[in-house]
Amino acid sequence: MSELAKLTLGTKALDLPVHDGSIGPQVIDIRKLYSQTGAFTFDPGFTSTASCESAITYIDGDAGVLLHRGYPIDQLADHSSFMEVAYLLTEGELPTKEELDRFTYTITRHTMVHEQLMQFFRGFRRDAHPMSIMCGVVGALSAFYHDSTDIDDPKQRMIASHRLIAKMPTIAAMAYKYSIGQPFIYPDNALSYTGNFLNMTFAVPAEPYVVDPVIERAMDKIFILHADHEQNASTSTVRLAGSSGANPFACIAAGIACLWGPAHGGANEAALNMLREIGRPERIPDYIARAKDKDDPFRLMGFGHRVYKNYDPRAKVMQQTANEVLAKLGVTDPIFDVARELEHIALNDPYFIDKKLYPNVDFYSGIILSAIGFPTSMFTALFALARTVGWVAQWNEMIGDPEQKIGRPRQLYTGAAMRDYVPIANR
Ligand code: CMC
């Protein structure tokens, strides 16, 4: 604590402690504000509120910086693997070779799901959205793995964390297989985390499937780029659900539900659907005009970010990966021309420049996933798969925080003041 912030409210004067993080803005500690002044703060959308203390991820939105445990995201995307990033986020340091091998082995041993959980899938309609299946099935894990739901036992917390990271690819692949009427493919522990996911998604029992190393690496990068992102909406949801003492499977299911929305993880699906709707580069100006029109709720999906007001550092890596994947696969879909042209026009349009609206990670990820062969409905499920690592890391950090309390915001009440009940005959 370096200095005090002074607040005057009517006749009351208050000194508020100011905290310095290791980097980043100062934080004014208002925890005693209500008890000392009787006033609340008002910050819908939490644009100026730090909801917790965390040592996992740092974002400087103006400079376009994203660090995991201090390491820049572009370095991790270029040199690391998703398993290594998962270790870094959950354990706090980059692993030695031996630590990484042990972690990967542990995760690999948890990839199968309880055989009875498969029956669960049959209860869904075939055309169910994969995210609806993910919400349900991940929540149901707490009904299958009772031996890892005691949040006061560190060992159980660790096992639940490993189970969630390990089973998410299996569940996501099963959601996909179910939707297209193909048999589920069991995990193959000889494959990498990402290779195994591709195999469970695209293999069929009738013929061999070989994982393409370029696609495997691209997919692994997509997972790295989505692994964690500080106190975003879904992570805050996981923390809030966990703050009441709910079990980890229920908390992650809550995170999945929040991620689904088009302003958050659902943007990758919405962005590609928008590109399809635009269809041809000649139609782009109409959509740009709609995005600028104050009376039209339409937004360019995959553009803009609450925190990044310069550029999204994940989008830079993703753009490069998109180029690599499109070149390797030789795909010629007109939506990729629409995407390139839209990116060019928006980056040069004063409306987007003035409002600091740049393509975000979801703009490019959808293009890559589509080229690989995923239907748009799977995009957000893949985001959930990767973000599970961040959710689990943040949930564990919260449980271990001695300052942790149940999350319970207050409100600015604008409803009716107290009044007497009126019998129905007199209304
Ligand atoms: N297209 C057109 N105008 C936009 C867009 C857009 N995509 N995004 C923001 N604006 C305008 C908005 O109309 C507002 O204008 P004005 O000041 O004239 O009212 C201004 O820019 C600021 O927007 P805001 O809604 O106050 O900003 P926010 O920080 O609350 O919203 C956002 C951030 C990501 C929800 C928003 O930019 C958006 O809806 N983008 C499209 C959805 C999207 O791509 N989401 C993925 C985010 S990245 C991955 C993730 O977090 O999951």
Side-chain angles (χ1 to χ4, degrees):
M1 197 170 71
S2 55
E3 55 183 299
L4 295 169
K6 296 202 176 298
L7 180 98
T8 313
L9 185 65
T11 53
K12 288 181 194 139
L14 192 65
D15 284 337
L16 297 166
V18 178
H19 302 297
D20 290 309
S22 40
I23 38 175
Q26 292 185 306
V27 173
I28 303 168
D29 187 337
I30 56 158
R31 278 176 291 183
K32 297 226 163 67
L33 184 74
Y34 179 61
S35 62
Q36 296 190 357
T37 65
F40 296 140
T41 55
F42 184 58
D43 185 19
F46 309 117
T47 51
S48 298
T49 296
S51 62
C52 62
E53 189 177 324
S54 181
I56 300 175
T57 291
Y58 172 75
I59 300 175
D60 180 338
D62 294 325
V65 167
L66 168 60
L67 310 177
H68 290 324
R69 304 282 189 188
Y71 297 102
I73 189 66
D74 52 327
Q75 291 184 22
L76 293 171
D78 282 349
H79 306 298
S80 190
S81 67
F82 183 63
M83 272 298 90
E84 191 175 50
V85 171
Y87 185 97
L88 174 69
L89 288 167
T90 53
E91 300 292 327
E93 292 296 336
L94 282 173
T96 61
K97 164 95 176 61
E98 199 188 29
E99 285 166 338
L100 181 59
D101 287 349
R102 203 175 327 121
F103 179 73
T104 308
Y105 177 85
T106 306
I107 297 296
T108 306
R109 295 302 135 191
H110 283 297
T111 48
M112 292 204 302
V113 292
H114 193 292
E115 196 70 6
Q116 211 177 322
L117 196 76
M118 299 207 188
Q119 311 305 321
F120 214 88
F121 282 80
R122 316 244 176 252
F124 288 95
R125 283 171 53 139
R126 287 277 173 192
D127 60 357
H129 193 285
M131 283 298 277
S132 65
I133 299 182
M134 298 287 283
C135 287
V137 174
V138 173
L141 291 177
S142 52
F144 284 84
Y145 300 101
H146 299 138
D147 58 343
S148 55
T149 52
D150 178 359
I151 63 158
D152 296 320
D153 178 348
K155 187 142 188 259
Q156 292 203 27
R157 292 206 299 269
M158 189 180 67
I159 294 171
S161 304
H162 291 160
R163 279 181 169 150
L164 277 157
I165 295 169
K167 293 185 198 306
M168 207 57 93
T170 315
I171 294 170
M174 287 168 83
Y176 173 63
K177 286 299 198 193
Y178 184 74
S179 72
I180 56 169
Q182 286 187 0
F184 298 139
I185 302 290
Y186 283 109
D188 178 348
N189 289 350
L191 298 171
S192 71
Y193 182 91
T194 302
N196 181 41
F197 171 65
L198 289 169
N199 189 59
M200 288 189 290
T201 305
F202 294 120
V204 288
E207 58 187 39
Y209 171 79
V210 180
V211 177
D212 179 329
V214 174
I215 304 303
E216 186 180 6
R217 180 67 193 131
M219 208 59 224
D220 207 62
K221 260 192 198 182
I222 292 180
F223 290 161
I224 292 173
L225 294 171
H226 285 91
D228 191 47
H229 211 227
E230 205 226 47
Q231 305 311 321
N232 59 85
S234 57
T235 301
S236 297
T237 302
V238 170
R239 279 186 179 258
L240 197 54
S243 76
S244 72
N247 76 69
F249 304 108
C251 296
I252 301 302
I256 293 172
C258 178
L259 186 76
W260 195 357
H264 191 11
N268 51 14
E269 178 177 355
L272 210 88
N273 287 338
M274 178 192 74
L275 294 176
R276 292 234 162 87
E277 192 188 306
I278 297 175
R280 299 189 308 276
E282 313 84 85
R283 284 161 50 93
I284 292 174
D286 292 348
Y287 284 82
I288 296 271
R290 283 187 63 196
K292 292 183 196 175
D293 182 354
K294 280 228 164 282
D295 299 326
D296 190 330
F298 174 78
R299 287 187 166 198
L300 277 192
M301 299 315 286
F303 281 77
H305 198 274
R306 166 61 64 81
V307 182
Y308 296 121
K309 299 299 178 196
N310 184 340
Y311 66 90
D312 179 342
R314 304 167 301 170
K316 265 197 170 170
V317 183
M318 204 65 102
Q319 182 193 33
Q320 193 192 334
T321 311
N323 290 338
E324 282 163 19
V325 169
L326 294 187
K328 156 79 188 172
L329 296 176
V331 275
T332 51
D333 187 326
I335 60 157
F336 301 131
D337 300 330
V338 174
R340 281 196 194 98
E341 188 61 15
L342 183 64
E343 178 193 18
H344 176 74
I345 293 176
L347 286 176
N348 290 288
D349 188 301
Y351 173 91
F352 291 89
I353 295 170
D354 292 349
K355 293 193 185 301
K356 302 186 172 169
L357 299 170
Y358 298 84
N360 58 47
V361 67
D362 288 329
F363 183 67
Y364 300 106
S365 65
I367 296 169
I368 305 174
L369 296 173
S370 175
I372 293 175
F374 288 100
T376 46
S377 61
M378 274 300 284
F379 292 3
T380 313
L382 303 183
F383 192 158
L385 183 170
R387 184 56 58 86
T388 296
V389 163
W391 290 333
V392 157
Q394 302 262 357
W395 175 80
N396 276 298
E397 185 182 64
M398 182 198 67
I399 303 280
D401 182 350
E403 305 260 345
Q404 188 265 327
K405 279 176 186 287
I406 185 169
R408 180 36 172 111
R410 301 306 299 269
Q411 61 179 4
L412 168 62
Y413 178 69
T414 53
M418 188 152 67
R419 48 186 170 165
D420 288 327
Y421 178 79
V422 180
I424 197 161
N426 301 346
R427 281 176 228 159

